[in-house]
Amino acid sequence: MVLAPKLISVAEPMLSMETLYEKSHKRIYDFLYKYTQNADTAMDLMQDTYLNFFRAYKLAGLDEEKSIMVLYRIARNLSINFSKKFSNVKESSSQEMHLHSHDPSIEKKVVLRDLEERIYKCLNELKEDEKTALLLKNIENFNLTQIAEVLDISVSTASRLVIRAQEKLLKIAEKKGLVPE
C-alpha cells in the first residue's frame, strides 16, 4: 500500500500566519518601539519582521510560542541592523506638552515623559544584547528561558546578562542623576 504525501493547502499557512499576526503584532510593535523610540521606524521594522518570518517559516510548523520567540529574534536583529545603518536622531515630537498650563496632571505627565526619555537614553548606552535582555525582562515580562531563546544563548548566560545589564543601567542612571547615590 502506497500512501500519497499530504499536500499542504495554501490557505492553511496563511490562516495560521494571520492568527499569529493578530495575537502578536501589538507585542512586537511595542518591543520595537521601546527599542527604537520612533513610531514609524517601529512600524517599518515590524512589517519587515513578519515578512521575514513568513518567507523563512511559513511552512515550518512551529507552535505559537516558538513562532513568537522567532519573531522577537527577527525583530531584535532588524533593530540592530537598523541602528547600525542609520543614526537614531530623535525627531522633535509634535506631542510635546508645554508647562504653561496650571493643570498639575499635565505637568506630571511632562515630568514622567522627560524621565522616560532619559531612561531610554541610558538604555541606549548599553550593548545591544544587554538592552534587549532588559527590554524583554522588564517591558515584555519574559522569563529567562524565553530571553535565552530570543538571544540564542543559554539560560544561565541570559541570567548573567540581565544582572550585568541591570547593574550597568543603574550606574549610568546614577551618573546622570536619575537615581540617588
Side-chain angles (χ1 to χ4, degrees), residues 124-135:
N124 288 332
E125 292 185 28
L126 297 175
K127 293 179 182 175
E128 295 296 334
D129 58 345
E130 295 168 338
K131 179 179 175 182
T132 301
L134 284 182
L135 288 174

Side-chain angles (χ1 to χ4, degrees), residues 28 31-32 45-57 67-81 150:
I28 298 296
F31 171 73
L32 289 165
L45 291 174
M46 183 185 74
Q47 291 171 356
D48 288 345
T49 297
Y50 282 94
L51 284 173
N52 288 343
F53 181 86
F54 179 73
R55 285 183 193 128
Y57 296 95
S67 295
I68 290 172
M69 295 301 109
V70 170
L71 284 167
Y72 273 99
R73 184 178 303 150
I74 293 169
R76 174 185 180 266
N77 291 338
L78 288 172
S79 297
I80 291 170
N81 291 341
V150 170

